[in-house]
Amino acid sequence: MSHAGRAVLVATVFAVTAAVDAGPAGADSIVFRCFPNLCRVAADGSGRTQITDDAAARGPVYAWLSATADGSRLGVSYGNRAYVLDGSGRRRAGPLRHSGGPVLVTQIRPDGGQVATIESISEIQPGPPFPGPLLQIPYLFLAGADGSGRETVARTTAAMAWLGDRLLRDESADAAPYEQQICLLASNTDFPCERLVAAEPGRDLWDPAVSPDGSLVAATRAAVDGFQGEIALYSTATARLVRVLTSGPADSQPTWAPNGRAIAFTRGKAGLWVVRATGRPGSERRILASGIQPVWVRGGVLGLTGPKRARVGAPVRIRVTGAARGARASLQRKAGRSWTTLATRGAGARPTAFTVRFRHPGRAVLRVRVRAPGAQATVSRTLTVKVVRAG
């Protein structure tokens, strides 16, 4: 072992304790489709991690993505069927009961209690001539998160979202050019609308996403018969345009930050972008060069924090954040080319703290490895601390 290797006599845990910190939870993360699989990234675009590996470019692929507010459950369309995954990409339910046609959209309720799907169903249209043409008609269905209690909600539905525990869907205007609007259903199990929550003359609205406080809808503001455009905000109380946030013309698929202060979205083939909820066209910035359909959730990015400098013998607090519920965290030290496990404790949505003391001066390298429940792989982060003599 070299002198440098010997100098890296890392921390010995004097009294390793695992405690729930009263501080805030780990950083937010963005789950997104990284064709053909699903990936996760920090809100600033760093720490990209692939969370599924069962898709292939020739199929099956992940074709739709949604998530609960805390990111613990994902609603996905995979191989033309609906599934529920946990935040680590492990299958929890599915394939859910279906109509037989492709499942185009799988939208899980923010609290995880139900799943709404849009499925394509073949219908023979009335003649003459007889028989009429065979068309693919999108239907909206609603079921429990395990697929139970399935009900048909609406026919010819191409866009939907959740406002709390209430369903939104698209609704055509009454007069030409029959713009696509967004309405709140009078009942989650019936077609009629109670009221509009987003509408604008001369614009089709797609990809509705409701703000955390329910007061605004972010939507793709497209030309009539278009599917991409700018990202804009609408008041759920009046359905009127509040502001246009981005410059377009190929923006779509908005998603709100959990604190309601920013929105991530897809820009054509140019990756994932973010704009402030109070922003204006031109203020958006790119966070990732590739990926589509971002879904912003609380937590999910593993963090390891501690001081960059410490004294020999003094207690040092190392904090782990962003672990999945029920995960196990192992704190390790590096000695030469190997790692030694100092302690293993339960970790979760709230931060977990380890207290360590360093015996020798030098460069101390620590690593935390976290394994989510049922996961085969581990996620790790490292931290380097400069240890100096006391006094």
Side-chain angles (χ1 to χ4, degrees), residues 12-302:
T12 298
V13 176
F14 179 76
V16 178
T17 59
V20 176
D21 195 329
D28 297 339
S29 63
I30 295 174
V31 186
F32 64 99
R33 288 161 53 199
C34 50
F35 180 85
N37 279 289
L38 302 179
C39 291
R40 185 187 298 272
V41 72
D44 63 0
S46 64
R48 174 173 170 157
T49 302
Q50 185 173 309
I51 63 173
T52 65
D53 61 6
D54 55 344
R58 293 185 177 181
V61 304
Y62 285 91
W64 188 268
L65 170 65
S66 62
T68 55
D70 63 2
S72 65
R73 292 291 184 269
L74 307 177
V76 301
S77 296
Y78 169 74
N80 290 327
R81 296 292 177 255
Y83 295 84
V84 175
L85 313 181
D86 66 17
S88 300
R90 187 165 63 106
R91 190 173 297 177
R92 307 295 297 186
L96 304 184
R97 182 183 169 192
H98 55 86
S99 61
V103 179
L104 308 176
V105 174
T106 302
Q107 200 75 26
I108 194 165
R109 205 170 72 186
D111 64 0
Q114 291 178 298
V115 173
T117 58
I118 296 178
E119 304 174 24
S120 181
I121 297 179
S122 299
E123 287 187 356
I124 298 176
Q125 301 305 297
F130 297 99
L134 183 67
L135 298 181
Q136 298 297 315
I137 307 298
Y139 274 74
L140 176 61
F141 297 91
L142 180 65
D146 60 356
S148 63
R150 177 178 162 96
E151 297 188 61
T152 304
V153 179
R155 183 179 180 275
T156 63
T157 298
M160 59 82 56
W162 289 98
L163 196 168
D165 61 359
R166 301 281 301 279
L167 280 174
L168 308 180
R169 68 164 178 84
D170 56 315
E171 169 77 354
S172 294
D174 293 332
Y178 306 106
E179 300 96 337
Q180 178 163 285
Q181 308 163 326
I182 306 298
C183 76
L184 176 69
L185 291 183
S187 165
N188 278 358
T189 57
D190 203 0
F191 183 80
C193 291
E194 177 181 298
R195 59 184 174 85
L196 293 176
V197 296
E200 184 179 355
R203 294 286 180 171
D204 278 355
L205 304 185
W206 293 96
D207 311 318
V210 179
S211 62
D213 66 1
S215 65
L216 296 169
V217 172
T220 300
R221 179 178 182 258
V224 173
D225 297 329
F227 297 95
Q228 298 176 329
E230 307 90 28
I231 304 302
L233 301 184
Y234 299 83
S235 167
T236 58
T238 65
R240 294 178 180 174
L241 175 68
V242 174
R243 70 178 63 89
V244 178
L245 298 179
T246 71
S247 54
D251 301 339
S252 63
Q253 301 172 331
T255 179
W256 287 85
N259 63 12
R261 297 177 182 173
I263 292 168
F265 61 95
T266 303
R267 172 162 285 177
K269 297 181 180 180
L272 305 184
W273 294 63
V274 171
V275 66
R276 293 184 64 84
T278 56
R280 62 186 185 280
S283 66
E284 58 269 34
R285 59 184 178 86
R286 187 164 70 174
I287 62 168
L288 206 62
S290 63
I292 59 174
Q293 199 180 10
V295 179
W296 207 326
V297 297
R298 292 194 295 268
V301 173
L302 184 65

Side-chain angles (χ1 to χ4, degrees), residues 353-373:
F354 294 93
T355 299
V356 301
R357 296 175 188 266
F358 299 96
R359 290 182 173 180
H360 307 282
R363 187 172 64 93
V365 181
L366 299 178
R367 178 174 75 176
V368 66
R369 303 190 74 192
V370 174
R371 186 188 300 274

